[in-house]
Amino acid sequence: MLKVAEVFRSVQGEGFWTGTPAAFIRLQGCGVGCPWCDTPYTWKQAPAPVAFEALIQAPPESPIMAEVEPQELAQWVERQRVRHVVVTGGEPFEQDLEALLARLGADGCFVQVETSGTVGVPHTTLGQTDWITVSPKVGMPGGRQVDPRMLDLADEIKMPVGRDRDLAVLLDLLGRRHGDPVPVWLQPLSQSPAATRLCIDAAALHGWRVSLQTHKLAGLR
Ligand code: SF4
């Protein structure tokens, strides 16, 4: 059973797959504790699980959670009539995703997992993902470290940026990364004009890209 905070169909608004219709599975739980987190309702355990059907019908960002079998989640994905599935959180790798990823893979889905990179994950699980988006979280109140192996295995790196220091952290992480170059996205914190300008300048300098949360601009989940 997986603890699930919400499921919905929308469009991927961030990073490489921007514009792709997708089924989103947002898992419950995250111990990273980013002060600017836009999904804090995933942090705490809801008092008691609700039925999956109630979760499906719930308004966005409801402080509820359902415990759902991977097979039920896969059946819900099938009803969404999209092949791109985004498993996100919270921090999705705090839970064992192996059965869910295996089932979605067997159904022919393309599975993207969005992670902070702060949880070490078995190779067997990572091998079942089609795309790993690592959004590194460094120096957060939870005290977690970014696992270097997760950085090495990332298909894209999406860095939240609010100030110069975030860029220095990113350069340090990239300097220690092994493997082929991957797209690097700078995501302005809270879409503020100052952060966005900072991201544009840095992207121009380093050959990176700026990821605007286009689903939010469109008023979508
Ligand atoms: S890692 Fe993601 S879900 Fe967790 S606190 Fe940070 S922004 Fe929120």
Side-chain angles (χ1 to χ4, degrees):
M1 299 277 259
L2 289 163
K3 294 180 170 55
V4 182
E6 57 182 352
V7 292
F8 55 95
R9 188 177 80 158
S10 186
V11 65
Q12 173 58 281
E14 306 173 2
F16 186 85
W17 295 101
T18 294
T20 306
F24 287 77
I25 299 173
R26 187 182 304 287
L27 296 181
Q28 183 78 24
C30 182
V32 179
C34 307
W36 35 259
C37 178
D38 58 0
T39 56
Y41 52 95
T42 65
W43 292 8
K44 294 208 169 66
Q45 194 70 264
V50 301
F52 185 36
E53 198 53 39
L55 189 85
I56 292 170
Q57 303 297 338
E61 306 187 9
S62 297
I64 58 174
M65 174 271 294
E67 292 179 340
V68 191
E69 295 282 2
Q71 184 176 340
E72 276 183 281
L73 284 166
Q75 288 165 349
W76 172 82
V77 167
E78 200 175 337
R79 295 200 295 276
Q80 306 315 303
R81 300 187 175 280
V82 291
R83 291 294 84 195
H84 192 105
V85 182
V86 181
V87 181
T88 188
E91 171 44 66
F93 282 132
E94 286 186 4
Q95 300 187 56
D96 182 354
L97 301 186
E98 198 143 347
L100 174 65
L101 298 178
R103 175 62 200 259
L104 292 173
D107 288 350
C109 296
F110 182 95
V111 185
Q112 174 183 8
V113 181
E114 297 180 330
T115 176
S116 62
T118 59
V119 179
V121 182
H123 272 297
T124 46
T125 302
L126 293 172
Q128 289 171 328
T129 61
D130 296 296
W131 189 270
I132 300 174
T133 301
V134 175
S135 183
K137 306 294 172 3
V138 175
M140 295 301 151
R144 300 237 184 120
Q145 306 294 319
V146 174
D147 182 334
R149 195 173 55 109
M150 295 301 290
L151 271 184
D152 293 352
L153 293 170
D155 293 293
E156 65 177 339
I157 294 172
K158 191 176 61 181
M159 184 74 183
V161 174
R163 49 192 177 160
D164 286 323
R165 184 179 167 279
D166 300 324
L167 298 168
V169 168
L170 174 61
L171 284 167
D172 177 59
L173 290 172
L174 293 175
R176 290 185 279 129
R177 183 178 179 273
H178 304 95
D180 296 334
V182 293
V184 174
W185 300 89
L186 307 180
Q187 190 154 291
L189 273 187
S190 308
Q191 310 261 62
S192 81
T196 304
R197 277 194 296 274
L198 183 62
C199 289
I200 293 171
D201 287 347
L205 183 65
H206 294 284
W208 299 332
R209 304 175 194 175
V210 179
S211 173
L212 301 173
Q213 293 175 296
T214 53
H215 55 296
K216 291 188 181 177
L217 298 175
L220 297 171
R221 240 167 154 177

